[in-house]
Amino acid sequence: GVMEKLGFGPEVLLQENPRLIYARLTGFGQTGKYAKSAGHDINYLALSGVLSKLGRKDENPYAPVNLLADFAGGGVMCAMGIVIALYERATSGRGQIIDASMVEGVAYLSSFLWKSQNLGLWSRPRGENLLDSGAPFYEIYKTSDGKFMAVGALEPQFYKELIKGLGLDSNDLHTQMSFSDWPEMKKKFASIFAQKTQAEWCRVFDGTDACVTPVLSLDDVASHQHNKQRSSFIKNDQGEISPRPAPLLSRTPAVPSHKRDPFVGEHTEEILLEYGFTKQEIAKLYSDKVIGFSKPQANL
């Protein structure tokens, strides 16, 4: 309701410009019992049903930072809604209002959870299934130097490569999909991974189809050979590393900036001047505290 309080609700602006696409991104959506309630990623994740599936056996559900509801179910899904509305407008010539709820966005993003329940993937309690840390061949293991390796050897041919890399004989092991033996197999795998460093395990598994990769820290990702070859991470003029824009487009790829991130308000005046505001109008907006400026100070 913030925009309505300022007199810029969608009904008002769409009267001025019927082609306008007005995106409303909120946690709980524009209607419903919680529409006006405060919340954060963990709350939206909880109400979507997805949080109940995240976490290890015999532990509380676990919220993975704030990536799922805020950025994926919220920002990305809202952006997709804007693209869809733009595409539709090319035919109809009319704009529309987008009601982007993070609860619904993350739920829809997780449709796989609902659609695969009857396939046996989620038939067991949390933390005992194929993809939620139940399986020994879809797990994270600690190495002798305190780092980690990620294992995702789901298919039989990949699992065979995993067993080979670990120096085990499949004839001495329980069958891959023997659920009751998973805890014992996981302990065995953990003890073996703990015998080598992360770098040593990379030498074992790199170039194989065992689906075993190092768990890289944010400090390490840019220097990893694969990421370096693809220039997946960029460094700005302040030495700060960040991901390169993705996905890559063949004809019109994004051109990343190597400058530092701007301060909030650093370019307010320049942008408003570009849009035709006069310096007097900008000064009035500033004095009325509608806008703010933040100019970097010289380091002398």
Side-chain angles (χ1 to χ4, degrees):
V2 175
M3 293 296 282
E4 280 84 354
K5 291 176 183 176
L6 297 172
F8 296 116
E11 293 79 10
V12 174
L13 296 188
L14 282 167
Q15 281 185 354
E16 293 288 326
N17 180 6
R19 291 176 55 84
L20 187 68
I21 293 163
Y22 196 111
R24 315 198 78 172
L25 176 57
T26 59
F28 299 111
Q30 295 299 310
T31 58
K33 180 179 179 179
Y34 289 177
K36 302 296 183 183
S37 300
H40 279 295
D41 186 287
I42 195 170
N43 307 115
Y44 315 139
L45 205 57
L47 206 64
S48 73
V50 176
L51 185 57
S52 70
K53 290 292 187 182
L54 305 179
R56 292 184 175 275
K57 181 181 178 181
D58 299 326
E59 294 184 9
N60 295 346
Y62 182 78
V65 204
N66 68 323
L67 298 176
L68 279 184
D70 280 352
F71 300 121
V76 173
M77 296 297 282
C78 183
M80 187 172 75
I82 293 170
V83 171
I84 292 169
L86 285 166
Y87 184 78
E88 191 279 337
R89 189 178 71 180
T91 302
S92 68
R94 299 172 59 198
Q96 56 186 308
I97 304 167
I98 298 168
D99 180 359
S101 155
M102 294 186 198
V103 173
E104 294 162 3
V106 73
Y108 183 59
L109 193 68
S110 307
S111 296
F112 169 69
L113 293 176
W114 277 265
K115 300 295 184 180
S116 62
Q117 285 185 97
N118 296 327
L119 299 180
L121 292 179
W122 312 103
S123 57
R124 301 172 68 85
R126 182 178 64 251
E128 296 183 23
N129 298 281
L130 194 65
L131 303 176
D132 64 358
S133 79
F137 46 86
Y138 201 86
E139 180 59 289
I140 299 165
Y141 293 101
K142 195 171 187 177
T143 58
S144 63
D145 54 347
K147 297 182 179 180
F148 299 92
M149 298 297 289
V151 177
L154 292 172
E155 290 79 3
Q157 66 272 28
F158 302 155
Y159 180 70
K160 183 179 179 181
E161 291 292 313
L162 168 65
I163 297 305
K164 179 182 176 182
L166 292 177
L168 295 170
D169 186 338
S170 58
N171 294 320
D172 298 332
L173 298 172
H174 301 289
T175 59
Q176 181 182 358
M177 299 307 294
S178 178
F179 294 99
S180 61
D181 296 309
W182 278 1
E184 179 187 339
M185 292 171 68
K186 188 179 291 190
K187 289 179 182 178
K188 180 182 287 289
F189 289 3
S191 67
I192 295 174
F193 271 106
Q195 294 170 17
K196 287 182 170 65
T197 66
Q198 185 187 72
E200 288 172 330
W201 282 120
C202 287
R203 287 194 286 272
V204 170
F205 287 111
D206 279 4
T208 74
D209 281 337
C211 302
V212 179
T213 49
V215 177
L216 301 175
S217 71
L218 297 188
D219 295 327
D220 297 333
V221 288
S223 59
H224 188 274
Q225 186 177 11
H226 176 81
N227 294 332
K228 283 176 67 176
Q229 290 170 349
R230 286 184 55 82
S231 300
S232 301
F233 295 85
I234 57 177
K235 185 181 291 187
N236 67 13
D237 55 13
Q238 304 287 304
E240 299 168 334
I241 294 173
S242 62
R244 182 196 60 200
L248 285 179
L249 303 183
S250 62
R251 275 195 310 105
T252 58
V255 180
S257 170
H258 292 280
K259 297 180 179 179
R260 62 161 175 78
D261 292 341
F263 301 118
V264 175
E266 182 176 349
H267 303 110
T268 301
E269 185 175 10
E270 291 92 324
I271 291 170
L272 290 177
L273 286 170
E274 284 180 18
Y275 273 88
F277 286 81
T278 65
K279 285 194 172 276
Q280 292 75 18
E281 289 172 326
I282 294 171
K284 180 69 166 57
L285 288 171
Y286 179 72
S287 65
D288 290 343
K289 298 184 179 179
V290 175
I291 61 173
F293 298 136
S294 178
K295 295 292 184 183
Q297 300 296 318
N299 295 317
L300 301 178

